[in-house]
Amino acid sequence: MSEQVIIALGREFGSGGHEIARILAQRFSLPLLEENMLRHIAEERGLDPDKLQRYDEDPKNRLMYRTVNGFSNAPGDVIAQMQFQYLRDRAAAGDSFVVVGRCAEEILKEYPGLISIFVLGRRLV
């Protein structure tokens, strides 16, 4: 592909969104940014990927952490910001990819090659 394509796939729990993202990435020969994103970030910054993974998408305990002037000391918030910046950097470099979640449809909304998909889960009766 000569033009940048970014597929941002949001999903509901149990919708099969991860599997759909894998199929899309394979079909269009694009890298899938998912759990492996934290490994890349850890390698770039010399951090332990297992420690980052522990706090990924972890709910914030409001008694332990606080936000002041838009800055948070909660590990989950810091890791989310690292992931947002990683996505921005990849997009700014002109890379094409598929990403699951991570608010990518909002973070990358200014890129014309962005395709945003949301997968709903339905219970079969």
Side-chain angles (χ1 to χ4, degrees):
M1 284 181 217
S2 60
E3 292 188 35
Q4 183 180 40
V5 174
I6 301 169
I7 301 174
L9 194 132
R11 78 280 183 224
E12 284 185 343
F13 180 77
S15 66
H18 286 279
E19 184 60 27
I20 293 168
R22 282 188 187 93
I23 292 167
L24 288 170
Q26 183 178 22
R27 169 67 177 91
F28 295 109
S29 300
L30 297 172
L32 175 59
L33 305 182
E34 203 177 15
E35 296 92 13
N36 59 356
M37 188 183 331
L38 283 178
R39 294 220 175 273
H40 292 291
I41 293 169
E43 288 171 9
E44 288 175 356
R45 297 174 183 234
L47 301 171
D48 180 2
D50 293 328
K51 287 186 180 180
L52 292 182
Q53 190 67 42
R54 183 176 353 152
Y55 295 106
D56 185 33
E57 296 188 20
D58 193 30
K60 181 167 50 174
N61 181 338
R62 301 222 182 263
L63 298 174
M64 299 289 291
Y65 305 109
R66 57 187 236 173
T67 301
V68 177
N69 293 329
F71 295 99
S72 173
N73 69 338
D77 290 348
V78 173
I79 290 168
Q81 291 302 321
M82 288 177 170
Q83 292 179 54
F84 298 160
Q85 190 58 51
Y86 180 79
L87 290 173
R88 286 185 197 106
D89 292 346
R90 293 283 305 259
D95 294 349
S96 294
F97 53 87
V98 177
V99 60
V100 178
R102 310 302 191 262
C103 303
E105 72 284 347
E106 182 64 26
I107 299 299
L108 305 173
K109 66 184 176 186
E110 72 269 8
Y111 289 90
L114 176 67
I115 300 167
S116 182
I117 300 170
F118 191 83
V119 181
L120 298 171
R122 289 252 162 134
R123 190 177 85 181
L124 299 175
V125 182

